[in-house]
Amino acid sequence: MLVLLGILLLVSASFYTVRMTQSAVVLEFGKPVRVVEQPGLYFKWPLVQDVIFLDKRLASYSTQPESYLTVEKKPVLVDFYAEWRITKPLVFYTSVRNAATAQARIGDIVRSFLRGEVGKMPLEAVITGNRKQMIDPVLASANQRLQALGIQLVDVRILQVGLPPEVLQAVYKRMEAERTQEANEYRSRGAEAAAEIRAQADKEKTQILADAYRQVEELKGQGDAEAGNIYGQAYGKNPAFFSFYRSLEAYRQSLGGKDVLVLSPDSPFFKYFRHTLEASGK
């Protein structure tokens, strides 16, 4: 029974399965002897050979924002991620052994080339410029370095570009000063435009009042002329009645108030009063 169990264990240790997402590196006494990249069931010598499986799928690398210096020696925070895959399993195993070591090497290489590209650019271009123009040289240079490790860098992307807190505060203060200056300029222009509008309005007001006064005087003159014409026509039809009517108007305006008039009884002003008194015998 023990012999049968030993045989089963030996047989099970003699075969291994390679999946579609894997590559297999066969080791003999710890040294790589061949690579299996096609999926299937394979044989190996038990106790002599061992198998290391490597993932062929895309892997990603990401990091926390790190500080880089621009061409003006100003610090800027850059956060990036990278996608990579194993293209040469045997080279990969002999150079970096595992994915954790590969991640560390990829981070160091990409950061090195990215630091060089950022150091060639001004701060404004790093923050607002075309990031593809900054990343393409990094991707090409890093790929040349990583090929020797059996790794292909598929993509590198900038996730975020920012400023350190102390630099950010200085930028905010500068932006605030610029906006304040711009606001003051707008206020000055507005005050100047308002003054021009008020002056124009005052000029138009004076002109309108002058035209209105002229029209009023013209209308008064026309009215006086028409009134004189009417008075003249009325006087021509019945001079005695017209004289009597005008005297009554004068009596109403002069004697109706509290003013004191000192006139001679023989004054022409009282001629109709005298006529009335003589007719009554008084």
Side-chain angles (χ1 to χ4, degrees):
M1 187 67 179
L2 292 175
V3 174
L4 180 60
L5 182 59
I7 293 173
L8 290 175
L9 291 174
L10 187 62
V11 170
S12 64
S14 300
F15 294 92
Y16 61 96
T17 302
V18 179
R19 299 178 182 177
M20 294 186 63
T21 59
Q22 294 176 328
S23 297
V25 178
V26 180
L27 306 178
E28 187 172 322
F29 297 110
K31 295 182 180 181
V33 293
R34 68 175 183 274
V35 175
V36 179
E37 299 200 41
Q38 297 299 322
L41 181 65
Y42 295 91
F43 173 81
K44 68 179 181 68
W45 292 106
L47 305 178
V48 176
Q49 294 181 334
D50 197 5
V51 180
I52 300 297
F53 296 99
L54 301 175
D55 200 332
K56 296 192 297 185
R57 294 173 295 184
L58 281 177
S60 61
Y61 172 83
S62 61
T63 182
Q64 296 296 323
E66 297 184 21
S67 180
Y68 298 81
L69 293 178
T70 64
V71 69
E72 311 99 333
K73 304 302 179 183
K74 294 182 179 180
V76 60
L77 296 179
V78 180
D79 181 13
F80 72 90
Y81 84 94
E83 291 183 342
W84 61 279
R85 64 158 59 98
I86 300 172
T87 55
K88 299 177 182 179
L90 186 58
V91 176
F92 178 86
Y93 178 76
T94 55
S95 57
V96 296
R97 296 287 179 174
N98 52 52
T101 307
Q103 293 272 39
R105 296 291 298 276
I106 290 171
D108 292 340
I109 292 173
V110 172
R111 274 193 295 269
S112 175
F113 288 111
L114 182 60
R115 183 167 286 106
E117 289 299 319
V118 173
K120 300 175 184 177
M121 303 172 63
L123 179 62
E124 183 178 357
V126 174
I127 295 177
T128 63
N130 188 346
R131 295 181 180 178
K132 190 175 185 300
Q133 294 179 354
M134 179 172 59
I135 285 300
D136 284 349
V138 174
L139 181 61
S141 301
N143 254 327
Q144 291 181 358
R145 183 77 62 84
L146 292 172
Q147 284 178 358
L149 306 179
I151 297 172
Q152 178 191 6
L153 195 61
V154 177
D155 194 12
V156 177
R157 296 291 178 91
I158 299 294
L159 293 177
Q160 183 179 2
V161 177
L163 296 174
E166 61 276 7
V167 178
L168 196 59
Q169 290 298 326
V171 172
Y172 284 156
K173 290 181 179 179
R174 186 186 68 185
M175 292 175 61
E176 182 180 1
E178 291 175 352
R179 296 299 177 269
T180 301
Q181 181 180 0
E182 186 176 356
N184 291 334
E185 291 179 359
Y186 281 126
R187 291 191 186 98
S188 177
R189 295 175 186 174
E192 183 179 354
E196 292 179 357
I197 293 173
R198 291 191 187 96
Q200 182 66 25
D202 292 339
K203 180 180 178 181
E204 293 178 358
K205 174 185 175 181
T206 303
Q207 184 175 358
I208 291 172
L209 291 176
D211 292 341
Y213 180 77
R214 178 179 54 78
Q215 293 177 6
V216 168
E217 293 299 320
E218 290 177 356
L219 291 174
K220 285 182 179 180
Q222 294 175 3
D224 292 341
E226 292 180 4
N229 188 24
I230 293 172
Y231 286 144
Q233 293 177 1
Y235 182 79
K237 290 181 179 181
N238 193 340
F241 176 76
F242 181 77
S243 177
F244 176 70
Y245 177 77
R246 292 298 299 272
S247 296
L248 291 180
E249 287 293 326
Y251 294 154
R252 183 181 295 110
Q253 295 179 4
S254 302
L255 302 178
K258 297 181 180 180
D259 296 333
V260 177
L261 297 178
V262 180
L263 298 173
S264 173
D266 298 332
S267 174
F269 184 73
F270 295 113
K271 65 180 179 177
Y272 289 103
F273 281 98
R274 289 198 305 272
H275 178 74
T276 303
L277 292 174
E278 293 173 356
S280 62
K282 296 182 180 179

